[in-house]
Amino acid sequence: MAMNEKSTFDGLKAPQAQLTWVKAAPVSAFAENGSGCVLHEGEQIAVFNFTDTGRWFACQNLCPHKQQMGLWRGLLGDQGGEPKVACPFHKRTFSLETGRNLQGEDLCVKTYPVKVENGMVYVGIETSEGQ
Ligand code: FES
């Protein structure tokens, strides 16, 4: 193609991720510093009402250590100002903000944004355009 010809190729477009807010449960279903587990399209999501921080969090319920479902029953805490959950099985701890393992292991968990509107808790699920 000559330099002055206009290309019609606009490159490969990466699929745009969109956030879909999925209804989890009413706020009243969660105890203070309590949690619950939501099933969305076959995926279990742990939702935390971390009242001590005034914030809500969500992450995958599956602990990557021994593939146990149970992070929703984990102990909430704080490590250097970072909110965390400790798996009830072998106490691996994960940041509720980033999902990284706070013991320095490669294991990490997926986290989700959470919002509360009109007394209802919603979890943000990323979907690709066209899903
Ligand atoms: S299964 Fe979670 S720490 Fe082992």
Side-chain angles (χ1 to χ4, degrees):
M1 177 170 70
M3 292 297 282
N4 59 356
E5 281 182 51
K6 204 168 184 177
S7 170
T8 54
F9 178 72
D10 34 325
L12 297 173
K13 287 188 177 168
Q16 291 280 4
Q18 293 182 327
L19 206 56
T20 300
W21 292 101
V22 174
K23 209 180 262 191
V27 169
S28 59
F30 295 85
E32 286 194 4
N33 295 307
S35 56
C37 187
V38 175
L39 185 63
H40 175 70
E41 294 184 352
E43 188 173 357
Q44 293 185 22
I45 301 171
V47 180
F48 303 95
N49 177 18
F50 201 166
T51 352
D52 284 355
T53 64
R55 297 168 65 191
W56 291 78
F57 297 96
C59 69
Q60 68 184 52
N61 191 38
L62 178 71
C63 178
H65 176 230
K66 295 283 185 189
Q67 309 300 308
Q68 298 284 327
M69 293 291 187
L71 285 178
W72 78 276
R73 292 189 295 117
L75 190 65
L76 293 172
D78 169 281
Q79 184 167 316
E82 193 162 6
K84 67 176 184 179
V85 61
C87 177
F89 294 103
H90 312 100
K91 308 296 181 231
R92 297 299 196 280
T93 56
F94 302 95
S95 164
L96 288 170
E97 288 179 333
T98 64
R100 74 185 174 95
N101 178 280
L102 295 174
Q103 288 141 322
E105 296 173 320
D106 284 342
L107 308 170
C108 61
V109 295
K110 183 176 181 181
T111 57
Y112 302 85
V114 180
K115 73 174 182 179
V116 175
E117 261 180 23
N118 301 321
M120 185 62 68
V121 181
Y122 296 85
V123 176
I125 308 287
E126 274 190 10
T127 53
S128 296
E129 216 171 63
Q131 273 191 325

